[in-house]
Structure formats: structure tokens, C-alpha cells
Amino acid sequence: MSGYGAHADHDEHDHHGPAPGLKRWLYTTNHKDIGTLYLWFSLSMFFIGGAMALIIRAELFSPGIQIVDPMFFNSMTTMHAIVMIFGLVMPAFVGLANWMIPMMIGAPDMALPRLNNWSFWIMPFAFTILLSTLFMDSGGPAGGWTLYPPLTLQMGDSFAFVIFAIHFMGISSVMGSINIVATIFNMRAPGMTLMKMPLFVWTWLITAFLLIATIPVFAGAVTMLLTDRYFGTSFFSAAGGGDPVMFQHIFWFFGHPEVYILILPAFGIISSIIPTFARKPLFGYDSMVYATASIAFLSFIVWAHHMFTTGMPLAAELFFMFSTMMISVPTGVKVFNWVATMWKGSMTFETPMLFAIGFVIMFTIGGLSGLMLAITPADIQYHDTYFVVAHFHYVLVPGAVYSLLAATYYWIPKWTGNMYDEKLGKIHFWTSTVFVNVLFFPMHFVGLAGMPRRIPDYSLQFADWNAIASIGAFGFGFSQLIFLWVVIKCIRGGKKATDEVWEGSVGLEWTVPSPAPYHTFEEAPPVAVINKNHF
Amino acid sequence: MSAASGYYIPHEAKWPIVGSVGLFLFFMGFGRLLNGQALGTTTLLIGLAIIVVMMFGWFSLVVKESESGIYNSQVDVSFRMSMMWFIFSEVMFFGAFFGALFYARQFSGPWLSGDGGGGAAMTNAVLWNGFDYTWPNNGPDKIGAGFASNQSFSAMGWFGLPLINTLLLLTSGVTCTIAHHAIKDGNHKKMVRWLAATVALGTVFVFCQAFEYYEAYAHLNLKMTTGIYGSTFFMLTGFHGFHVTMGAVMLFFVMLRGMKKHFTAENHFAFEAAAWYWHFVDVVWLGLFIFVYLI
Ligand code: HEM
Ligand SMILES: [Cu+2]
């Protein structure tokens, strides 16, 4: 089976291997190199954004202003969100897409390798601009990641740089997504029909579509902010006939699809991992594809559920309530399918599977609190409280971030050729899972009791749960150092991985040697191999 | 998609990092300029220069590779798909500004003058008493015109320059298509001639637009700061004008390549990409003409 994999190995003589030194990374057009760059970049952002979160939680450990000044606190909440969303989760998924999609569809590389290099090399520059605002006299952005005017327009000099950093990242996202769409449509090996593609490829195809459709809208929205601030336009000023609420509509037209951008590739990852360790084909492959597509479609017509309290005609409140609740249906289909895949499977619980199961359970908790928030009259109570913070952290941390951790454990043997340290992996999972719940579950309680989000101080009755959440935060944060250690250790050595790596693994990526050679599938895999390696 | 023809993968990319440095300096410079900080303009211009060099370098490289015949049909399809999706992203960018226009005209404007139920009537009575919304509008405070100086502004009519511009762009769409048919027949000379006409029409369009802006500022008291009307008018037509300029530059370079006989009847993707782009700015203009000028 690894016949042509070995072939790719031998082919390397006629082709450039990696260039020596720094040049390799600066000029590379290799999807694996670029994937690696993305993954390291996002891991570093994970720790930078995490440090910001710990500053927030340290301040909130007890009531009163203890450690940081309120303005800096606000810029921490704002920056933490931007760094985690645009610096961690999105680039990490792009990194995985780079590594895995060509190998999963039997392609030699991405469709546009040079553009691929550019998509990555924008990121460090864009984040230099963004993070540099923290060192400006005016301080970093402090009006929240949602950048609502008029508050955001009152930011100091850093305003312009934040907007341009967003434009800059947007260029990267759109180019990266175009590349992914072109790769999936144009680079599949003969015989790899759309409905044979692994779900990670499917979910990324749909995610890329969402990105291409909504990032430009976000770019438009922040451009309007920029001209309102510096060129005297009145888009968001009622005095000039505009409307600050209009910003919220445009922003969330991007913003809600964006949260699906942050979760659809995670669905794809989980749909790859669970069948492997349940040793059963994925239950309901077709319905998974259709559910993903309907989630993507619905995500365009639910945006104003973020604005129930902002003010809208009654008909709009109702429309957005029902459309939002409708999203739970395809989401429920997915959760059902994962559970059904595990049903009567001969399961083993290696670290990737632990994280995947953790994902299914805790993402569902976040989905259910989302459903509560979707109910307009209820949301009027919950909005802008810690309940919302609990909701989106459940879908994003034990959701999106767990999928990233699961993916790393699942594929790192393929990347490095070595098995990771299973014992450390399990310790990482259990400490993370205990602490993440200590961290976020109490937020439901203080939120329902009325504690507002994005504030450095709070009323005394919230003190106990906040102290507990802060302990969870530090526990969770330091648990991630175990992850860093596992990754480094695995790169440096360990038990050699087989080509299949996992007993029940299905997919073309497991037919090439471990570690995957610098170039794979320079010749398309035979159709028979494709037919044998899909669900 | 056949594997027999072999996949093509470029092995090195030196230009992207140059582009990133250029964009970085451009954005940093622009930010400093807007804030009135030192060295803004200089940094911006250096960044811009680097971006231009990068574009020349990168495109020349791709043209050279394409001419040497190392691209296969799979690469061609990748290019086509990317251009189409890129145009789609541009459509969405304009969509945001059209959305702002519709929202202001249909919703927030009437609400400001007390229509639409809910608390609107009360808001109007308390905050903007006496404000009556009509389009064009620059808001209850008459932002940008009239408030301080008691002047008023005039909207840009559709007759005259905008109508001429519409005809110019529509004609350029036709000349572009004639050029396309010419190259499909392998006729370079005819293609270059009609492309020259297209570029000329585009250039005249941009000049008319510039003159229209001059008119607006000089005689209509209509400025970018003229409330929501000025904002939407100048941002929509401004971004469109910028895209026309870019499209004309693209067509111009395609024309130069046509003079060097770079294309064949079957293989002229650069032409097609530029032509698609041109039709896209054409369609956006029609939207502008209807929604910004006509109604
Ligand atoms: C079952 C599906 C979901 C439903 C019904 C849902 C519903 C909601 C609602 C109604 C809100 C607004 C709450 C408020 O501000 O008062 C909200 C906020 C939020 N949701 Fe969800 N959600 C779902 C899934 C997700 C997913 C999958 C993610 C991301 C991975 C996500 C991320 C967020 C974020 C980040 C916010 C807060 C944004 C902010 O205000 O800063 N949600 N959700
Ligand atoms: Cu949402």
C-alpha cells in the first residue's frame, strides 16, 4: 500500500528538497512547511492570548481594582479576543488545512503555492502591527473585539493601526481561502469524488466559502469606522443621518458566519478522529455534509441574535430568534452522528479520542446555552452578562481549541514520524478538562445572577465563583505547558510511528510513510487505493 | 487533472515576503499619517513603492513562466478559479457599502424622523425634534453642510456626467468583448486595437468621475463630510473609481502583452481575468447608477 508513498520518497532526488537555513521558511512553497509555520505561529499566539486571559482572571480573582488599571483591563479583553480568534483558531485551522488537505485528496500540494506562502507571511507582520498598539501612548484597543461605534471611535492613536491590522489579516484570510477552494475543486486525485472526501476537507471547503463571503464585509465595516473617524463621514452617526446600530448589523453579518468559521473545521476534525478510535465508519456521512452546508447557509440569516437588546422591530426579533434556533437542528444532527458512530464501536481512548469525546460533550453544553440565548425574551436578561461569556467559551475552548489539540495528537505522528508521549498526553487532557470546567462553568452562575461582562470590578456577591474561575484559569493555562512539552518531545524523538499510525485509521494520509516525505502524491494515488481509503 | 501530464509546483517564492514588508510599511505609514505622527507619508510612500516593485516582479515572473510553457491546464484552471473567487470577494466588499446605503435609506433615516413605531416617535420628539427625513439627507444636524454656515447641499443628478459615464462604461464592455473575440480568432492586432479603445474609455471615465467630484466640492457643496449622503456617495463611487483604475491598468498590461503576441486563440487567461474584472466593475457601476444616482 505504501508503494507509491515510497515512490514519492525516491522522486525527491529529481526535485528540490527543502532549501537550507532560514530561506527554506521564508521562500517555501511547500504545503507542509507552510502548514508548520502556521501551526507554530498559532501556538505562539495561543500563549500570548493566554497570558492576556490570565491578566484578566488575575484582576477578577477578587472584587475591587487590584492589579491593572481599568483601561488596560479593557484592552486586555479586546486584545485577548482578537488574538485568540484571528491569531490562534483561524491560522491553526489554515495550518491543518495546509498539512492535511493535499494529503487527504491525493494532491501534490496546494493549488497556488506562492500565494500560500504569502498568506502565511502576512500574519507575523499583521500581528506585529496589532500587538504594537499595546506599546503606544494611547494604549491598545479597549472598546471590545466587536469594535462598536461610537465607543471604538474614541480610541487613541492605536485606532488606525488596529483597523489596518484587521485589513492586513483579512487579505491573508481571503487569499488562504481562495487557495483552499481552488485546491479542493481542482487538485483532487482522479477518483476522489466530492462525496469521497474526508469531512475535514468538506468542512474546510464550506468554511473557505464563508471566509471569502464575509471577510470583505468585515473589511467594509472597519473601513467605514476608519472614514468616520478620520475623514468625517457619518455612517455611524445619527446626527449625520447614519446609525451606530448599522455597524452592528454589518459587523454581525460577518461575525456570526465567523463563529462558524471557527467551528466547522473542528467538526471535520472530530469526524475524522471518532471513527478511527471507534473502529467504525462515520455514521451518516452524507447527512454530515448536508448538515455542514445548511449550517453555513443558516449562519447568514441569524446575525441579529447578537442584537436582541440593541433595538429592532418586533418582526425582526422574532425572525432572528427562530432562524437561530433552527441552526440547532443541523448541529444536533452532527452530535447525533458522532454519538451514533461510537455506539457499539470497539473504542480505545488514546489522547486524540479523549479530546474528541471531550469536544462532543462540552461543545454540546455550549450549544445548549446558545439555544437559551437564542430565545429573545431570555436573552434580554442574559445579554452582556457572564452567561454569554460562558456560552462562547464552551464552544470555543473545549470546542474549537480542543479540536485543535485533538488534531495535533492525531496527526503529529504523521508529521514527525514519532509517537507522542501517551502518558503526558493523557495528563494534559485530564488537567485541561478539569480546569476548563472549573474555569468556565461558574460563569454560568454569575452570569445568570447578573454579573456583566467586560468589567474589571464586580459586586461582592460574585466573589466566590470568580475566585474559583480564576483558579481554573491558571490551572488550564499552565496545563497547556504540558502540551508544548509533548510537542517538542515528539519532534525530538520517541517511538517510531507506523505508516497507518492508528489501528483503525482511514484516509489517504495514512497510506504515505511517517513522517510524510517532503513531497507526497507527486503522482496521483491509484483509484483502487482511494476507493479503499474512504468511508 | 490527469496525472500523466505531471503536476506543476513552483519551488520558491521570493516575492511574497517583499509584498508583506511593503504592505506593512504602507499600513504603518498610513496610520501614522492619519494620526499626524512623524514620517507617516514617507513610510507610506516607501511601502507603496515596494508593493509596486513586488507586483512587477511577481507578475513578470509568472508571465515568463507562462510563456516558457511550463504551466499545464491544471494550473490554468487554478488561476481561473482564484480569479472568480477573488471577484466574488470584491462583490461582497461592495455589498457592505450598498448595504449601508439601503439600511440608511430604508431604516435608520425614517426612524430618525419618527416613523416605524416602537420608540421612534419619542426619540424624534426628544432628540431630533422637527427633523423630517427625505433622501438625499445629511442628518438632523445637517452634518457637513448648512449647519454652521446655513448653506445647503445638492445631490448629484443622474443626467449629464453620470449618464455619460454609464454610456462610457457600457461601451467599454462591448469593446472589451470585441477584443476577446479577436483573440479567440488569434488576431492580435485587432485585439490590441479594441483593448486600446477599452482602456481609453476607462480612462475617460475616471477623468469624468474626477471632474464630477470637483463639481460636487466646488459647486454643489457636496463633500465626503456631507452626512450620510456624502458618505455613501463618495465611498461607493470612490471605491468603484479605484477599481476602474485598477481594471484599466490590468487591461493596459494585457494590451502590452498582446503587442508582444503573448496570447494564443486557446490560451489567454490573463486577458480573460482582466476582462472578467472589467465586467465586474461595469456591473457595479450599473448598481451605482441605479441606486446612488437614479433613485
Ligand atoms: C447551537 C448553536 C448556537 C447558538 C444557538 C448560538 C447563539 C448565540 C447567541 C444568541 C448569542 C448572543 C448572546 C448575547 O450576546 O446576548 C451568541 C453569542 C456568541 N456565540 Fe453563539 N451560538 C451557537 C453556537 C456558537 C458557536 C459554534 C460559536 C463559536 C465557535 C459561538 C460563538 C459565540 C460568540 C463568540 C458569541 C459572543 C460574541 C460577543 O458578543 O462577543 N456560538 N451565541
Ligand atoms: Cu451568532
Side-chain angles (χ1 to χ4, degrees):
Chain A
M1 214 195 234
S2 47
Y4 49 88
H7 179 81
D9 223 352
H10 135 101
D11 244 19
E12 218 167 298
H13 302 299
D14 332 330
H15 287 269
H16 297 246
L22 189 64
K23 268 193 188 163
R24 163 173 180 186
W25 302 106
L26 279 182
Y27 297 160
T28 183
T29 51
N30 181 286
H31 71 104
K32 301 186 182 83
D33 282 352
I34 295 173
T36 305
L37 286 169
Y38 264 113
L39 291 174
W40 277 113
F41 175 81
S42 47
L43 189 60
S44 64
M45 286 298 148
F46 188 27
F47 286 106
I48 292 176
M52 293 173 178
L54 293 187
I55 293 173
I56 296 171
R57 279 322 314 175
E59 174 59 49
L60 292 176
F61 183 78
S62 52
I65 305 292
Q66 324 281 344
I67 303 172
V68 292
D69 110 320
M71 183 73 178
F72 184 71
F73 179 92
N74 288 342
S75 73
M76 282 297 99
T77 57
T78 305
M79 279 294 218
H80 161 72
I82 301 181
V83 167
M84 288 304 202
I85 294 171
F86 297 98
L88 161 66
V89 180
M90 289 167 67
F93 281 142
V94 181
L96 292 172
N98 259 295
W99 253 101
M100 303 319 298
I101 288 179
M103 290 209 282
M104 287 176 158
I105 61 175
D109 208 300
M110 299 292 280
L112 304 152
R114 288 197 187 112
L115 203 67
N116 201 13
N117 172 297
W118 202 17
S119 306
F120 171 75
W121 275 109
I122 280 177
M123 296 305 284
F125 289 93
F127 273 82
T128 306
I129 299 184
L130 181 73
L131 294 175
S132 74
T133 62
L134 284 175
F135 303 98
M136 291 176 184
D137 293 341
S138 61
W145 81 279
T146 50
L147 302 169
Y148 283 3
L151 183 61
T152 253
L153 297 172
Q154 294 159 20
M155 201 191 295
D157 285 347
S158 56
F159 177 79
F161 299 101
V162 174
I163 300 296
F164 288 139
I166 289 171
H167 279 135
F168 211 1
M169 295 170 212
I171 298 174
S172 161
S173 296
V174 171
M175 291 194 310
S177 309
I178 290 178
N179 207 344
I180 288 172
V181 173
T183 304
I184 296 173
F185 278 139
N186 193 35
M187 303 291 282
R188 276 172 293 125
M192 175 57 78
T193 56
L194 287 175
M195 290 312 265
K196 280 184 194 153
M197 297 194 312
L199 265 168
F200 181 65
V201 182
W202 257 115
T203 50
W204 240 118
L205 177 64
I206 291 167
T207 303
F209 169 76
L210 291 179
L211 278 161
I212 300 172
T214 60
I215 293 281
V217 175
F218 187 31
V222 297
T223 305
M224 290 180 224
L225 283 178
L226 189 83
T227 58
D228 267 17
R229 162 79 180 256
Y230 291 106
F231 297 94
T233 56
S234 308
F235 286 107
F236 309 130
S237 146
D243 186 354
V245 175
M246 178 163 85
F247 175 84
Q248 300 187 20
H249 280 292
I250 306 175
F251 178 86
W252 287 114
F253 181 82
F254 145 80
H256 188 83
E258 168 69 22
V259 308
Y260 282 96
I261 289 163
L262 300 174
I263 205 70
L264 290 185
F267 290 168
I269 292 165
I270 301 306
S271 306
S272 302
I273 293 176
I274 289 183
T276 298
F277 297 97
R279 293 170 181 75
K280 269 180 66 193
L282 183 69
F283 182 88
Y285 173 96
D286 291 12
S287 66
M288 283 296 211
V289 173
Y290 299 134
T292 312
S294 21
I295 289 176
F297 168 74
L298 288 172
S299 76
F300 282 104
I301 55 164
V302 299
W303 75 84
H305 63 217
H306 296 273
M307 303 168 56
F308 286 144
T309 63
T310 308
M312 262 185 295
L314 183 63
E317 301 260 354
L318 288 172
F319 172 82
F320 286 107
M321 170 164 93
F322 289 123
S323 60
T324 303
M325 292 169 109
M326 232 144 72
I327 288 211
S328 314
V329 176
T331 312
V333 168
K334 285 184 168 287
V335 174
F336 179 86
N337 285 352
W338 291 322
V339 175
T341 307
M342 289 187 269
W343 181 254
K344 292 190 170 167
S346 35
M347 297 216 280
T348 50
F349 299 93
E350 288 85 346
T351 311
M353 184 62 163
L354 289 176
F355 275 101
I357 294 174
F359 174 99
V360 174
I361 295 170
M362 289 183 279
F363 171 80
T364 305
I365 295 177
L368 291 174
S369 59
L371 201 52
M372 291 170 70
L373 292 168
I375 304 165
T376 309
D379 183 68
I380 288 169
Q381 299 300 311
Y382 306 151
H383 178 66
D384 264 351
T385 69
Y386 258 81
F387 189 80
V388 176
V389 179
H391 156 65
F392 64 74
H393 281 94
Y394 261 92
V395 284
L396 284 171
V397 182
V401 172
Y402 264 39
S403 82
L404 292 170
L405 297 172
T408 309
Y409 284 108
Y410 186 53
W411 283 309
I412 205 172
K414 183 54 67 184
W415 301 337
T416 63
N418 305 320
M419 295 306 285
Y420 59 86
D421 186 327
E422 186 65 51
K423 199 156 130 228
L424 280 177
K426 289 212 165 87
I427 294 174
H428 174 219
F429 170 76
W430 285 111
T431 50
S432 296
T433 303
V434 169
F435 284 121
V436 87
N437 286 292
V438 175
L439 164 57
F440 292 124
F441 212 82
M443 291 185 185
H444 291 112
F445 310 146
V446 289
L448 290 177
M451 177 173 160
R453 63 189 281 208
R454 291 175 175 164
I455 41 97
D457 188 7
Y458 49 85
S459 164
L460 294 179
Q461 83 242 34
F462 306 128
D464 294 350
W465 287 124
N466 270 290
I468 291 172
S470 289
I471 293 169
F474 280 85
F476 182 78
F478 287 109
S479 302
Q480 303 322 306
L481 295 175
I482 307 175
F483 176 66
L484 183 65
W485 174 234
V486 176
V487 169
I488 293 174
K489 202 170 157 206
C490 179
I491 292 171
R492 303 178 81 185
K495 204 179 115 220
K496 291 282 158 250
T498 60
D499 292 358
E500 291 80 17
V501 181
W502 310 109
E503 188 187 68
S505 57
V506 173
L508 287 178
E509 77 263 37
W510 309 111
T511 65
V512 303
S514 301
Y518 198 56
H519 296 288
T520 36
F521 297 123
E522 286 185 298
E523 262 169 50
V527 178
V529 174
I530 293 176
N531 287 337
K532 226 161 76 194
N533 282 285
H534 77 94
F535 302 128
Chain B
M1 211 196 264
S2 121
S5 59
Y7 290 106
Y8 172 75
I9 302 167
H11 283 294
E12 227 181 22
K14 293 191 180 167
W15 289 110
I17 190 83
V18 178
S20 293
V21 172
L23 279 171
F24 176 77
L25 293 176
F26 172 79
F27 284 133
M28 284 306 267
F30 201 174
R32 296 186 69 83
L33 172 68
L34 291 176
N35 289 325
Q37 292 156 317
L39 290 178
T41 319
T42 321
T43 318
L44 180 144
L45 289 177
I46 296 175
L48 210 56
I50 296 178
I51 295 168
V52 171
V53 170
M54 178 276 289
M55 302 259 268
F56 262 100
W58 196 334
F59 279 116
S60 312
L61 178 68
V62 172
V63 168
K64 207 173 85 202
E65 287 174 356
S66 167
E67 287 309 299
S68 70
I70 55 178
Y71 289 171
N72 54 27
S73 59
Q74 189 175 32
V75 177
D76 191 55
V77 174
S78 290
F79 283 168
R80 275 162 203 281
M81 285 181 175
S82 328
M83 190 67 195
M84 280 190 233
W85 285 101
F86 171 65
I87 290 176
F88 173 62
S89 79
E90 293 264 45
V91 169
M92 295 307 291
F93 181 76
F94 275 99
F97 288 90
F98 274 109
L101 177 67
F102 296 145
Y103 186 88
R105 288 185 62 167
Q106 296 303 316
F107 299 116
S108 60
W111 291 341
L112 278 174
S113 64
D115 298 338
M122 179 68 101
T123 311
N124 175 260
V126 175
L127 287 178
W128 313 112
N129 200 359
F131 174 62
D132 194 21
Y133 166 81
T134 48
W135 188 260
N137 203 291
N138 59 345
D141 273 0
K142 300 203 174 312
I143 295 293
F147 186 58
S149 55
N150 226 3
Q151 295 163 338
S152 177
F153 77 96
S154 311
M156 187 60 72
W158 62 272
F159 200 72
L161 271 184
L163 184 62
I164 295 177
N165 263 349
T166 309
L167 296 176
L168 283 173
L169 269 198
L170 287 181
T171 318
S172 78
V174 176
T175 54
C176 187
T177 306
I178 298 178
H180 192 193
H181 282 291
I183 190 60
K184 273 189 180 159
D185 296 337
N187 189 338
H188 272 91
K189 223 172 178 169
K190 189 169 166 200
M191 179 198 102
V192 170
R193 223 178 303 124
W194 286 98
L195 263 188
T198 314
V199 175
L201 286 165
T203 314
V204 176
F205 173 93
V206 174
F207 275 103
C208 285
Q209 190 76 32
F211 184 69
E212 185 183 301
Y213 281 6
Y214 162 76
E215 281 287 302
Y217 269 76
H219 301 128
L220 300 179
N221 201 24
L222 168 60
K223 308 194 167 87
M224 194 147 163
T225 50
T226 311
I228 189 68
Y229 181 82
S231 311
T232 49
F233 176 82
F234 281 101
M235 291 297 277
L236 273 164
T237 56
F239 271 118
H240 176 262
F242 175 71
H243 281 75
V244 174
T245 312
M246 286 296 110
V249 170
M250 279 156 70
L251 286 174
F252 179 73
F253 280 101
V254 167
M255 187 184 87
L256 292 186
R257 288 187 63 193
M259 286 156 120
K260 289 188 183 165
K261 300 227 174 359
H262 271 184
F263 305 116
T264 64
E266 296 79 38
N267 191 352
H268 45 266
F269 165 70
F271 180 104
E272 288 181 308
W276 293 338
Y277 198 78
W278 195 251
H279 290 308
F280 150 70
V281 296
D282 216 355
V283 171
V284 172
W285 175 260
L286 285 182
L288 285 177
F289 187 62
I290 295 170
F291 294 113
V292 175
Y293 292 97
L294 263 182
I295 53 179

